[in-house]
Amino acid sequence: MNRNQLLATAGETLAYAEDLFETKVELVKLDVADKGARIGADVISGIIVAVLGLSGALYLNIALALWLGYLVGSYALGFVIVGAFYLLLAVILFALRKSLLAKPILKALINSLFKNKPNERP
């Protein structure tokens, strides 16, 4: 192989390497966009479910407070009982927030970021 052929082959190899690098960069961009879209869709659907769930819970709590108020003879006392229950629940959740809330939320976020697509190998 003479010098000109060697230089031509080296130039082709460099061009292939540049193409491979550009393709890898595009693949990373598409992967980031895909993960961002998945996370965005999960967040939006989570917000919709949360709003609907909270609306239902609100109406159920109002009904519970009114029913308890009817039973004890004072609607205000029924709302106080429901409010005290939620205050106690908030204190318990605050005390156990790391094990009950922070770790599962972080685990779910990490799993959603590194979840394999159906056609990918693990």
Side-chain angles (χ1 to χ4, degrees):
M1 186 180 263
N2 67 22
R3 184 170 189 246
N4 288 337
Q5 289 175 332
L6 188 61
L7 288 175
T9 304
E12 288 175 7
T13 304
L14 183 60
Y16 288 138
E18 287 174 354
D19 287 344
L20 178 64
F21 178 74
E22 290 173 8
T23 303
K24 291 280 188 181
V25 168
E26 288 299 316
L27 184 61
V28 168
K29 286 180 185 179
L30 289 172
D31 191 41
V32 168
D34 178 55
K35 288 184 184 199
R38 287 176 191 256
I39 290 172
D42 287 346
V43 167
I44 290 171
S45 63
I47 288 172
I48 291 170
V49 169
V51 166
L52 292 174
L54 287 173
S55 296
L58 174 69
Y59 291 121
L60 288 174
N61 282 305
I62 291 171
L64 176 65
L66 290 172
W67 180 69
L68 286 173
Y70 173 77
L71 290 178
V72 296
S74 170
Y75 290 118
L77 186 57
F79 279 93
V80 168
I81 292 170
V82 171
F85 169 75
Y86 281 109
L87 186 60
L88 176 66
L89 186 63
V91 168
I92 292 169
L93 283 177
F94 181 77
L96 301 173
R97 70 188 177 276
K98 289 184 182 177
S99 63
L100 290 179
L101 298 174
K103 287 180 184 177
I105 290 172
L106 284 174
K107 186 176 179 179
L109 284 173
I110 289 170
N111 285 340
S112 71
L113 284 174
F114 296 105
K115 183 177 8 178
N116 288 336
K117 294 177 214 158
N119 58 356
E120 285 184 355
R121 292 184 314 235

